[in-house]
Amino acid sequence: MTKTILIIEDDELFRSMLFGLLEMEDFNVISAADGSNGLILAKQLQPDLVISDINLPYLNGLGVLNKLRNDLTTAHLPFMFLTSKSDQETRSLAMKLGANAYLTKPVHLSNLLEAINNHLKTRQLTQ
């Protein structure tokens, strides 16, 4: 069964590139350009994985993660940050809020796909 990945990314070019790459890997991909719409899509569609930037309009990625983790219907969703914020303070906060992974841009495609597949396998085992 095809896994669904939600990308929450405000950079249109990067979002489109990531969307295309993940589609080529046979994922069902949906996307949002801001945190508020990403949160709505995550709640409605219950994707197998959420990949989000931190710096987003309306609701930043940390806010999206916090809201998802505090809602029983979405608390279980694997959540991965893919962001340019590389400082240890932000990384620590993201992990405390319940992020499953924290990758920094630029990221090698092989590292991204490995992280995605690891989290999808973990989710499948826990279901």
Side-chain angles (χ1 to χ4, degrees):
M1 189 162 103
T2 303
K3 300 294 184 186
T4 299
I5 298 177
L6 168 60
I7 301 167
I8 309 173
E9 171 64 61
D10 63 324
D11 181 315
E12 186 176 347
L13 182 60
F14 187 77
R15 185 176 66 249
S16 295
M17 181 197 66
L18 187 56
F19 193 105
L21 289 170
L22 293 177
E23 275 192 330
M24 287 191 322
E25 294 293 324
D26 291 326
F27 292 109
N28 178 36
V29 186
I30 51 179
S31 67
D34 63 71
S36 295
N37 284 319
L39 182 62
I40 290 167
L41 287 173
K43 288 181 175 189
Q44 287 177 347
L45 303 176
Q46 298 284 309
D48 296 292
L49 176 66
V50 177
I51 300 175
S52 179
D53 193 2
I54 288 180
N55 296 321
L56 297 167
Y58 308 116
L59 179 65
N60 72 26
L62 295 168
V64 172
L65 175 59
N66 191 44
K67 288 183 181 295
L68 290 175
R69 290 294 183 253
N70 286 307
D71 182 331
L72 291 177
T73 64
T74 57
H76 65 282
L77 295 178
F79 193 102
M80 176 186 307
F81 280 112
L82 180 55
T83 182
S84 58
K85 291 188 67 68
S86 59
D87 63 285
Q88 189 57 43
E89 185 178 324
T90 304
R91 180 185 296 265
S92 293
L93 178 57
M95 300 313 280
K96 282 180 190 171
L97 289 173
N100 299 93
Y102 192 101
L103 301 175
T104 54
K105 298 174 188 172
V107 65
H108 288 275
L109 181 59
S110 60
N111 293 343
L112 177 62
L113 291 174
E114 181 181 351
I116 288 169
N117 287 316
N118 286 341
H119 290 292
L120 291 174
K121 283 179 193 170
T122 301
R123 180 165 192 226
Q124 189 172 1
L125 292 173
T126 59
Q127 286 182 329

